[in-house]
Amino acid sequence: GINASRVLHSFNAATRAILVAGGRIGDQIAAKLASDGFPTVVVRTSSPSRTNLTISDRQGMAIKLNELGPKIKAGEIQQVRDAVEKNLEGATWLMLCGSLPPGVPAKFYADLIALAKERGVKTLLDADDDALSGDVDVVQCTVFRHVSSVRP
């Protein structure tokens, strides 16, 4: 979601990214976005933000290694919902991007989509698994292989 919002911002589109951030990594993410003049709403979490690593070769082939997201507490989930609801005012689109972290109900995106629809805001969902639900205007399915363990 941040990357999509950043691209829109680079084309002078009015955009705002709402993200969760915690720990030292979360501080670094929030500071970088702020120093770039990038409009964000940061919901602080008690768990540290995950890190992701992209490895690419000279031909442009890449593999992404994403840590499992941190567990998000009920109060933090409510803060995200409140931030989304507050920022729907004047919005035309709501993009919901990424996998849902542990602790977030599978219907969370569907609830946010319903909230947006009530306010006449179109929605784009880029997610996977159980998060793919709701009366969304555009769906971008993220296809990946999740390896939970490797055995010799």
Side-chain angles (χ1 to χ4, degrees):
I2 291 173
N3 290 335
S5 193
R6 184 182 291 280
V7 168
L8 291 169
H9 179 71
S10 74
F11 286 101
N12 296 317
T15 184
R16 180 172 294 115
I18 299 171
L19 63 138
V20 295
R24 182 180 56 81
I25 297 294
D27 292 343
Q28 292 173 347
I29 293 168
K32 174 64 174 151
L33 293 172
S35 72
D36 290 347
F38 185 70
T40 60
V41 175
V42 179
V43 175
R44 300 301 303 184
T45 60
S46 58
S47 298
S49 295
R50 72 179 182 170
T51 56
N52 301 315
L53 177 65
T54 302
I55 302 169
S56 58
D57 65 16
R58 291 185 179 134
Q59 287 75 40
M61 296 292 294
I63 185 168
K64 290 181 70 172
L65 305 172
N66 298 333
E67 288 183 337
L68 183 63
K71 183 165 177 55
I72 307 296
K73 295 179 179 178
E76 296 164 344
I77 295 168
Q78 185 61 47
Q79 289 177 43
V80 172
R81 186 200 181 285
D82 293 346
V84 169
E85 183 173 20
K86 179 180 177 184
N87 284 278
L88 286 174
E89 182 69 32
T92 53
W93 281 91
L94 171 65
M95 293 190 316
L96 300 166
C97 304
S99 59
L100 293 172
V104 178
K107 67 181 194 88
F108 184 66
Y109 281 162
D111 292 345
L112 294 179
I113 291 166
L115 193 64
K117 292 289 186 180
E118 290 171 6
R119 288 159 178 77
V121 176
K122 295 177 185 169
T123 54
L124 180 144
L125 177 61
D126 179 2
D128 50 48
D129 295 334
D130 294 337
L132 286 171
S133 63
D135 182 22
V136 66
D137 293 296
V138 177
V139 175
Q140 164 72 35
C141 296
T142 304
V143 178
F144 69 98
R145 179 180 296 182
H146 174 75
V147 179
S148 59
S149 65
V150 177
R151 298 182 184 171

